[in-house]
Amino acid sequence: MPDRGGGPTGPRIRVGRPSRRVRTLLMTLGILAVLAMVFVMFAGFWTDWLWYRSVNYSSVFTTTLWTKIGLFFVFGLLMAVAVGLNIWLAHRLRPPLSAMSMEQQSLDRYRMSIAPYKKWLLLGIATLVGLIAGASAAGQWRTWLLWVNGVSFGQKDPQFKLDVSFFAFDLPWYRFLLGFGFAATVLSLIAAALTHYLYGGLRVTSPGARATAASTGHLSVLLGVFVTLKAVAYWLDRYGLAVKSSDFKATGDWTGLRYVDANAYLPAKTILFCIAVICALLFFGTLWRRTWQLPVIGFGLMVLSAILIGGLYPAIVQKFQVSPNEQAKEAPYIEKNIEATRNAYGISGVKPEDYTGAGKADEDPKAKRANADSAANYRLNDPNIVSPTFQQLEQEREYYRFPKTLDVDRYNGQDTIVGLRELSLDKLDKRNWINDHFAYTHGYGMVTAKGTETKKGSKGAPDFTESGLPTKGKLGEYEQRIYYGEKTTQYSIVGGPQKELDYEEDGGGQKTYSYKGDSGVNLSNPINRAAYAVSFGEPQMLYSGAIGDGSRILYNRTPKERVESVAPWLTIDGDTYPTVVNGRIQWVVDAYTTSNGYPYASRTTLGDTTADSLSESDDQRAVVAQQNQVNYIRNSVKATVDAYTGEVKLYTWDDKDPVLKTWKKAFPDTVKDKGEIPKALMDHLRYPQDMFKVQRELLTLYHVTDAGQFYNASDAWQVPNDPTKKDNSAVPPYYLSMKTPGQTQQQFSLTTTFTPSGRPNLRAFMTVDADATSENFGKMKLLRVTGDVDGPEQVQNKLNSMTEVGNFVRDMKGADSDVLYGNLLTVPLDDGFLYVEPVYVQGRKSAYPLLKKVAVSYGTETAFADSLSDGLNQVFGADGTTKPPADDTDEPTDPPKSSDPTVQAALDDAQTAFEDGQQALKDGDWEAYGEAQEKLEKSLQRAEDAQAKAAEDADKKGDKNGDADKNGDKKGG
C-alpha cells in the first residue's frame, strides 16, 4: 500500500528557526532571570555586611564568614575527593570481562546506559556529597575557633590530669573530625561497593567467586579505615567519661565518672581500643592474603568483646560491687563532682552559716522596731505590678508602651523603679507603610518612681521622680528619643525627606524631627535600596519618594538582638535594663560565656533554670542561649546599647575567664578592657539575675560538701513557688537594698529563699552583693535556718486566713475591685526574718492598681495595715496598742444554738458558709471566697429576719394574751 505520510518515510515538516530578534529577546530574558536569581542570593549577604559595617563590627562578620567558607571548602573537598576517588578506583579495578550470567546480563543495560555519562555522574555524586558535608562542617565554626584559639584553664581534671581546656575546646573538635571520618568512610564504602557490583567486581548470584581480588583488597582497606576510626573512638570515649551525663538515683542528673566508669568502662575502653587496632591490621592484611576470613573473625571478636567487656562486665560490677555498698564506693567520685560543679558555676566560696530565724525573744520590741527601719529599703512598688500604673499615668499617647515588668535601678542612693516610654504601634489607629516605618520611629523618655514610697494624696499611686512628655525631674538633661528598645521590632527609615513625629504637644500640635545620628545603613545608594527591597520584601523601597538623600534604615533594634549579633558566641541575660549615663539612655545587657565540657561538673538547662513567675509571663525576659545545656558559666561581659544611636559596646567583666580569653583571640578588638567602663556606668551595673538563678538552683543540692550527706540527699532544698501566683512557678529573685547579719549599712543586693524539698517552711536565705562598685561585689551569703520558721507560702496562707484580710477582700469584691499581691520581700532581722508584702487594689473598670495595704510578718505576728510604718508598729507592739491573744487551737468552737428551727437552719448555713470561706482563703481561691461571703451574708440575713419574725409573733401572741386577761378581769368584775 502506498505510504500516506506520517510515518518515518513520510514528508518532513520543517519548522522555521526563530528570528534573530526573538532569539536575542529570549537570550536577554534568560540572562536577566539568572542575574535576578543571583541578586536575590546576593542581597542577603550584602545587607548583612552593610549592617555589621554600620555597627563597626565588620570583623565579626568577616571572621565568621571566612571561617565558614574555609570549613565548607576544606571538608566539602575532602568528602568529594574521598567518595569520588573510591568510585574512580572501584571503576578502575573492575574485571576486564564480566561473567556470563543472568545477573551480569541484566547489569549490562545499566553499564551501557551510563557509559556516555560516567565522568559527569562521578562529578555530580562527588559534588553532591561535598556540598552536604561542607554545609555541615560550616556549622562547626564555633568548635573550630575554640579549638584553634583555646587557652589553658590552669585547672586539671582529677581523673586524667589533663587541663580543662582539653575537654572544653579540644575534645569537641576531635569528635567532629571523628564523625566526619566515619561519614566519609561509610559513604566511600557504599559507593565503592555499588560500583564494584555494577561492574562485576562483586557478585551475588553468579557462579564462582563472589568477589574479585581487586574488589576484596579495596573494600578491606576501607573496612580497615573504619575499624581504625572505631579504635580512635574507643580512645576518645575514655576522656568522654569525664563529661558524660548519666542518671544517678541519689541526685538525678550526674556528670563525670562514677565507680563503675573508672573501674569498668575505662579499662574496657582501653581493651577495646587494642582489639580494634588489631582488627584493623587484619583488614589491611587482606592486601596480601586476599581473603576476608581472619578480618571477619577479628571483627566478630571485636563486636563480641564490645558486648561482653563494654556492656556486660560494667553491669556485673555495678550489680555485685557497687549496689551493695554504693555510698562508700561512690563517695570519692561524689566529692569530685561537688568540687567541679561548685568551681564551674562560681559558687565554690559559698558556705552556709547557721541562723536561727526565730528572732531574739528577749529583745525590746521598740529596739526591734528601730532596727526594722534601717534593715532594708523596703520596696513597696512592685515592678511587676505597677507597670499598668505607669502606663495609665505616663503613657501620654496610645502608641507608647512600658514593659510588662519594669526594672529596678539606683539613683541618688535610692532603689528606683524605671521604665522607658517605648514605641508600640499595636494600638495605632491608622496603620500604613509611611506611618509604620517613616512617621512613628521612636519612643520618648524615661519615667522613674521611688521604689519605697507612694505619692502623698494619690491614694496609692507611685511617687514619680521623672515624668511628663518630654520628661522632667531628677535625671537632668539627656537625649530622650528612643530609637532602640525592647519593643522596637519593626524597621524604620529616618533622616530623609519624610519628617518623623517627635511627640504630640498637650495643645494638640505635633513636633516633628529628623534623625541626626549615623546609625543604620544609608539608602541613598540605589544598590543598597534594591538589596533591602529584596531582603525585606518591600518593593516600595525602590520607588518611594519618602526615601532620598540622607535616608537611613534602622533594624535589628532590640538590645538583645544587637548584642547577640555582634557577639554570637555569648549567651544573653533575659533582663536588659535602661539607665541614663552621661546624658544618654544606655541599655545594659549582661552576657555570659558558657561551656558544656567542664569535666565532672553537672549540667543545667538554662531555659528551665532561669524560668520563674516573671519570665514565664513575659517573653522578653527569656534568656538568649547559644547552647541551652551548659556546665560552666561566667558573667564575663557587660554590654551597652545606646538607645539613640544603637551603638554597641562590649566590656570585659571577668578578665580571668579562659573562655572569654579564647573568644577574644578569635575576635580581637571586639571586647574593650574592664578599665574602659565609664564611672557613671559602673554606678548602675549590677549582679545579673539569670546568673543568680542558675547558681541558686545548683545550691539546692550543692550547698552540701559532704559526700555522704549529698548521697542521701537528706538536706536537699528547693526554690519555693511564688506565693502570689497560682501557676506553681518559681519565686523570682528580688533586688533590694538591705543589711545582712554582720553588715553595718545597707547594700544593693539580689536575694532569694529556699525551702526543704517537699516542705513549705523556710530552710535558707541567700543574698549576693549586687553593687558593681562594692569591693564585695559578687560575694554570696547563705543563711541556713536552724529554727522552725514559716516559708513564703506559709506566710501568704497565714495572711490570707486573717479576718482583716477576709473583710478587706470581701469589701473590695463588693466594690467590684480585684486584690493584687506584690513581691513578698524577705529581710533578715535580729536572728529572725521580716516579711513585707505590698497589697494593691484595681477596680474592674480601672486601668491601673493602687497600693492600699501593706502586710508585715515577723515570727508569730502578722499585721495588715494601711502603711508600712503602721504594719511594723503592730508587729513589734510599738504603737501603744495591745494585740489580742492568738488562738492557737485548731478546734472550732461550737456556735450557739437557737430554739427556733428556722433561725437554727439559717445559722447552720452561715456556719457552713464561714468554714467554706476560711478554706477558700487558705487555698487562695478568691472567687470561692467571695461566693462563700455572699452565702454567709444571705444566711445571716435569713437568721436575722427569722429571729425578727419570731419576736414579732411573740409580741402578737403576748398582745392577744393580754387582751384575754383584760376580758377575764372584766367578767370577774
Side-chain angles (χ1 to χ4, degrees):
M1 294 193 54
D3 185 7
R4 300 191 180 274
T9 60
R12 298 180 181 178
I13 300 176
R14 296 180 60 86
V15 179
R17 296 178 61 191
S19 65
R20 179 177 297 178
R21 179 178 298 177
V22 173
R23 292 200 306 272
T24 303
L25 179 60
L26 291 175
M27 184 176 296
T28 302
L29 291 175
I31 293 173
L32 290 176
V34 171
L35 290 176
M37 293 175 61
V38 171
F39 187 79
V40 168
M41 293 185 291
F42 168 77
F45 162 81
W46 183 244
T47 53
D48 285 346
W49 159 249
L50 290 174
W51 186 86
Y52 275 97
R53 191 175 65 175
S54 73
V55 294
N56 299 318
Y57 282 89
S58 55
S59 62
V60 174
F61 178 81
T62 54
T63 299
T64 305
L65 178 65
W66 286 116
T67 302
K68 291 180 179 179
I69 290 175
L71 292 172
F72 177 85
F73 279 105
V74 169
F75 286 94
L77 184 62
L78 286 175
M79 182 64 77
V81 168
V83 175
L85 180 62
N86 279 282
I87 293 176
W88 175 83
L89 186 59
H91 179 265
R92 178 97 176 184
L93 297 175
R94 69 188 184 280
L97 297 174
S98 59
M100 298 300 295
S101 65
M102 292 298 295
E103 178 187 24
Q104 294 303 312
Q105 289 177 13
S106 62
L107 289 174
D108 278 340
R109 292 182 301 166
Y110 297 103
R111 288 193 285 261
M112 293 175 62
S113 62
I114 66 173
Y117 312 105
K118 286 190 294 186
K119 291 183 179 179
W120 292 107
L121 186 61
L122 174 62
L123 183 61
I125 293 174
T127 302
L128 178 62
V129 297
L131 289 173
I132 296 173
S136 176
Q140 298 294 322
W141 64 272
R142 289 184 179 88
T143 307
W144 161 261
L145 288 176
L146 285 173
W147 177 69
V148 77
N149 295 288
V151 301
S152 172
F153 271 69
Q155 303 171 11
K156 296 183 181 295
D157 80 286
Q159 181 66 41
F160 302 100
K161 309 304 179 184
L162 295 173
D163 192 90
V164 172
S165 61
F166 172 80
F167 301 91
F169 305 144
D170 299 343
L171 189 58
W173 178 249
Y174 296 153
R175 281 177 164 169
F176 164 72
L177 292 179
L178 183 64
F180 177 83
F182 273 122
T185 303
V186 170
L187 289 176
S188 298
L189 185 61
I190 293 173
L194 290 175
T195 305
H196 279 300
Y197 175 72
L198 181 63
Y199 286 96
L202 292 178
R203 301 156 192 164
V204 178
T205 61
S206 300
R210 299 295 183 189
T212 62
S215 64
T216 299
H218 183 196
L219 297 179
S220 295
V221 170
L222 290 175
L223 288 171
V225 172
F226 179 86
V227 177
T228 300
L229 291 174
K230 188 61 181 174
V232 176
Y234 282 133
W235 189 256
L236 290 181
D237 284 346
R238 299 168 64 257
Y239 303 112
L241 293 173
V243 290
K244 176 181 69 73
S245 291
S246 59
D247 185 28
F248 187 27
K249 65 181 181 181
T251 59
D253 185 44
W254 172 273
T255 301
L257 284 83
R258 291 156 52 189
Y259 181 90
V260 70
D261 297 313
N263 295 277
Y265 280 111
L266 189 58
K269 297 293 184 182
T270 305
I271 295 172
L272 290 172
F273 164 78
C274 297
I275 294 174
V277 170
I278 296 173
C279 185
L281 293 176
L282 292 176
F283 273 108
F284 291 134
T286 57
L287 287 173
W288 294 274
R289 292 181 55 86
R290 302 293 182 181
T291 176
W292 280 348
Q293 185 176 3
L294 286 179
V296 169
I297 294 174
F299 188 78
L301 289 175
M302 186 182 74
V303 173
L304 183 62
S305 299
I307 296 173
L308 296 178
I309 302 176
L312 185 60
Y313 174 62
I316 293 174
V317 172
Q318 178 68 33
K319 179 70 174 178
F320 295 101
Q321 292 190 31
V322 178
S323 295
N325 192 19
E326 188 174 48
Q327 181 173 341
K329 294 290 187 182
E330 300 289 11
Y333 305 96
I334 291 175
E335 291 174 355
K336 296 175 183 178
N337 175 266
I338 293 174
E339 182 180 3
T341 302
R342 289 170 63 89
N343 286 334
Y345 291 94
I347 54 176
S348 58
V350 181
K351 297 180 180 179
E353 303 174 17
D354 287 344
Y355 186 82
T356 63
K360 296 178 180 177
D362 56 346
E363 187 171 357
D364 181 19
K366 292 185 178 180
K368 284 188 178 181
R369 175 66 181 85
N371 292 338
D373 282 335
S374 61
N377 200 358
Y378 304 100
R379 192 180 66 248
L380 300 181
N381 285 318
D382 184 350
N384 187 44
I385 299 292
V386 300
S387 178
T389 310
F390 272 55
Q391 188 74 20
Q392 180 67 20
L393 300 180
E394 290 296 328
Q395 178 188 12
E396 301 291 349
R397 301 294 180 267
E398 73 275 5
Y399 44 82
Y400 291 135
R401 283 289 180 277
F402 288 95
K404 188 174 182 179
T405 299
L406 301 173
D407 290 293
V408 179
D409 203 349
R410 293 146 293 156
Y411 287 92
N412 301 319
Q414 183 181 62
D415 292 0
T416 304
I417 308 299
V418 302
L420 292 189
R421 189 187 286 118
E422 293 193 49
L423 180 68
S424 178
L425 302 180
D426 295 340
K427 300 293 184 179
L428 192 64
D429 292 333
K430 190 175 181 180
R431 300 290 300 273
N432 55 54
W433 191 61
I434 294 295
N435 278 348
D436 287 359
H437 303 292
F438 292 84
Y440 296 91
T441 59
H442 58 275
Y444 213 100
M446 175 183 282
V447 176
T448 65
K450 295 179 181 178
T452 58
E453 301 176 23
T454 58
K455 187 176 182 180
K456 294 181 179 179
S458 66
K459 299 182 180 180
D463 186 2
F464 291 105
T465 56
E466 184 81 15
S467 59
L469 180 65
T471 64
K472 296 179 181 179
K474 295 186 177 181
L475 295 181
E477 295 293 329
Y478 65 99
E479 175 55 67
Q480 297 193 22
R481 297 174 182 89
I482 303 162
Y483 282 88
Y484 295 87
E486 290 182 305
K487 294 183 176 298
T488 317
T489 55
Q490 78 283 354
Y491 72 87
S492 290
I493 299 176
V494 299
Q498 177 70 41
K499 292 295 184 181
E500 310 163 39
L501 171 66
D502 204 22
Y503 60 87
E504 294 183 11
E505 298 175 307
D506 291 337
Q510 290 187 352
K511 289 187 69 68
T512 60
Y513 182 75
S514 184
Y515 184 66
K516 296 179 175 58
D518 58 357
S519 181
V521 178
N522 194 336
L523 291 182
S524 300
N525 187 324
I527 295 179
N528 291 356
R529 289 179 67 172
Y532 279 100
V534 171
S535 295
F536 286 24
E538 292 284 6
Q540 297 177 85
M541 288 186 185
L542 290 172
Y543 53 80
S544 174
I547 301 176
D549 292 339
S551 291
R552 309 183 73 84
I553 183 169
L554 313 181
Y555 63 105
N556 288 356
R557 299 169 70 182
T558 66
K560 288 184 190 177
E561 194 175 24
R562 293 181 78 78
V563 174
E564 195 271 339
S565 296
V566 302
W569 36 273
L570 289 174
T571 292
I572 311 301
D573 188 273
D575 184 25
T576 60
Y577 61 98
T579 186
V580 174
V581 177
N582 296 329
R584 314 284 295 191
I585 297 177
Q586 298 281 346
W587 288 98
V588 180
V589 183
D590 283 290
Y592 310 108
T593 50
T594 60
S595 175
N596 196 27
Y598 197 100
Y600 271 101
S602 290
R603 290 180 172 84
T604 187
T605 303
L606 290 178
D608 297 336
T609 306
T610 58
D612 59 28
S613 61
L614 296 186
S615 61
E616 290 182 354
S617 62
D618 189 351
D619 293 338
Q620 291 181 341
R621 297 177 71 90
V623 65
V624 180
Q626 297 301 329
Q627 52 182 167
N628 200 24
Q629 269 221 333
V630 302
N631 67 351
Y632 173 91
I633 185 170
R634 289 291 186 273
N635 176 214
S636 298
V637 173
K638 301 283 187 181
T640 61
V641 178
D642 192 292
Y644 183 81
T645 66
E647 181 183 17
V648 181
K649 291 183 179 179
L650 306 176
Y651 297 101
T652 299
W653 188 247
D654 186 349
D655 51 13
K656 297 180 180 180
D657 175 32
V659 181
L660 178 61
K661 291 180 181 179
T662 297
W663 285 120
K664 288 176 71 173
K665 282 182 63 179
F667 296 98
D669 302 325
T670 57
V671 184
K672 300 177 182 293
D673 293 335
K674 187 175 183 178
E676 297 184 47
I677 299 177
K679 172 64 171 61
L681 174 61
M682 185 70 78
D683 292 338
H684 296 279
L685 298 182
R686 66 191 192 188
Y687 201 85
Q689 283 189 337
D690 284 340
M691 180 79 172
F692 190 68
K693 291 177 191 176
V694 170
Q695 291 172 323
R696 73 172 180 177
E697 185 66 29
L698 268 296
L699 282 169
T700 58
L701 283 178
Y702 287 92
H703 64 277
V704 173
T705 56
D706 178 74
Q709 189 179 11
F710 186 90
Y711 174 86
N712 294 322
S714 58
D715 193 23
W717 301 346
Q718 65 185 16
V719 177
N721 294 330
D722 190 340
T724 66
K725 301 290 188 293
K726 295 182 180 180
D727 55 1
N728 293 327
S729 53
V731 63
Y734 295 123
Y735 287 107
L736 189 68
S737 292
M738 58 176 292
K739 290 191 297 186
T740 55
Q743 289 183 326
T744 58
Q745 61 183 8
Q746 294 180 9
Q747 194 68 42
F748 188 67
S749 305
L750 191 56
T751 68
T752 191
T753 53
F754 298 95
T755 58
S757 182
R759 296 180 58 197
N761 55 294
L762 189 65
R763 189 66 181 95
F765 174 83
M766 186 170 76
T767 180
V768 63
D769 190 336
D771 185 356
T773 62
S774 170
E775 62 180 8
N776 293 320
F777 174 79
K779 183 178 181 180
M780 293 183 178
K781 182 179 285 290
L782 181 60
L783 304 179
R784 190 206 312 267
V785 180
T786 59
D788 186 11
V789 180
D790 289 339
E793 292 179 283
Q794 290 176 309
V795 171
Q796 188 69 48
N797 289 336
K798 185 192 298 184
L799 173 67
N800 293 344
S801 63
M802 292 178 65
T803 303
E804 301 99 302
V805 176
N807 293 335
F808 177 75
V809 173
R810 181 187 60 196
D811 293 342
M812 292 302 101
K813 187 175 181 66
D816 202 23
S817 298
D818 292 327
V819 176
L820 305 175
Y821 290 100
N823 38 224
L824 180 59
L825 304 176
T826 308
V827 178
L829 176 65
D830 294 338
D831 285 340
F833 285 99
L834 177 66
Y835 289 95
V836 175
E837 182 178 52
V839 180
Y840 301 81
V841 171
Q842 181 172 357
R844 298 285 176 85
K845 297 181 180 179
S846 174
Y848 59 96
L850 294 172
L851 179 66
K852 291 298 182 182
K853 294 284 186 177
V854 178
V856 180
S857 180
Y858 186 84
T860 60
E861 302 295 336
T862 303
F864 189 68
D866 293 330
S867 67
L868 175 62
S869 179
D870 290 345
L872 293 175
N873 287 339
Q874 292 179 33
V875 162
F876 295 113
D879 59 349
T881 62
T882 56
K883 297 176 65 67
D887 185 6
D888 294 331
T889 178
D890 293 332
E891 296 296 328
T893 57
D894 294 331
K897 300 294 183 180
S898 173
S899 58
D900 189 319
T902 305
V903 175
Q904 184 59 47
L907 289 175
D908 291 342
D909 292 341
Q911 179 66 20
T912 301
F914 175 77
E915 293 173 354
D916 291 342
Q918 293 302 305
Q919 184 61 44
L921 275 177
K922 293 180 180 179
D923 298 339
D925 190 342
W926 299 113
E927 184 176 355
Y929 178 78
E931 293 174 356
Q933 292 301 307
E934 291 177 2
K935 292 179 181 178
L936 177 61
E937 290 181 4
K938 292 179 180 178
S939 299
L940 291 175
Q941 187 63 45
R942 271 185 20 238
E944 184 178 351
D945 293 344
Q947 195 167 4
K949 188 174 184 304
E952 183 180 352
D953 291 344
D955 290 340
K956 290 180 179 179
K957 186 176 180 181
D959 292 341
K960 289 180 180 179
N961 292 336
D963 292 340
D965 292 339
K966 289 179 182 179
N967 293 332
D969 291 339
K970 288 179 181 179
K971 289 179 181 180

